[in-house]
Amino acid sequence: MKTFKTHPIGIAQGDEQIFADFENDGEMWTGSGTRERRHAVTFDQPFRSTPAVQVGISLWDVDTSAAVRAEVVAERITPKGFDIVFRTWADSRVARARVAWMAIGDVTTDDDWDVP
């Protein structure tokens, strides 16, 4: 559990299109086996420390003639941003995907000072 002591808490959120492979016959749509896409997110304002980040699929367009398989995670989380990672495998065909995210953490204020 992450606890916050005296600093204000900030919440950043967004909704990112990760890919639209049906438009250009990309590998998520035409490929098979293990496939991955990464999308870097930069926060408008950095957090004071590494925030908690939650991601979830907000849109996906898939071919239902095969099993639908997907994993969506946040990786490389820092106070400045993180990577959204979408993975699929085997014969799943994903035309497009969009991922919603939310980051919660402590933020700096004008009252903070750095004493060396």
Side-chain angles (χ1 to χ4, degrees):
M1 174 185 296
K2 186 166 188 158
T3 57
F4 302 100
K5 295 180 172 83
T6 60
H7 286 280
I9 297 171
I11 299 174
Q13 58 188 5
D15 199 35
E16 310 288 333
Q17 180 168 301
I18 306 305
F19 58 87
D21 277 12
F22 71 96
E23 295 174 344
N24 59 4
D25 289 331
E27 72 171 343
M28 290 295 195
W29 183 239
T30 61
S32 62
T34 302
R35 289 156 282 154
E36 175 182 289
R37 284 291 170 80
R38 289 181 172 268
H39 179 81
V41 172
T42 302
F43 302 130
D44 290 338
Q45 173 186 340
F47 287 88
R48 181 180 173 95
S49 63
T50 302
V53 175
Q54 178 70 43
V55 295
I57 295 172
S58 60
L59 174 141
W60 67 346
D61 183 4
V62 298
D63 179 357
T64 59
S65 65
V68 178
R69 303 170 186 92
E71 174 186 41
V72 178
V73 295
E75 292 184 351
R76 299 181 188 162
I77 304 168
T78 72
K80 294 181 179 183
F82 68 100
D83 286 348
I84 297 171
V85 184
F86 181 98
R87 295 182 180 104
T88 191
W89 55 95
D91 60 348
S92 294
R93 291 173 23 113
V94 185
R96 60 187 168 153
R98 191 171 62 221
V99 174
W101 60 269
M102 181 169 41
I104 302 172
D106 53 340
V107 294
T108 58
T109 68
D110 292 339
D111 293 335
D112 292 338
W113 18 301
D114 187 16
V115 179

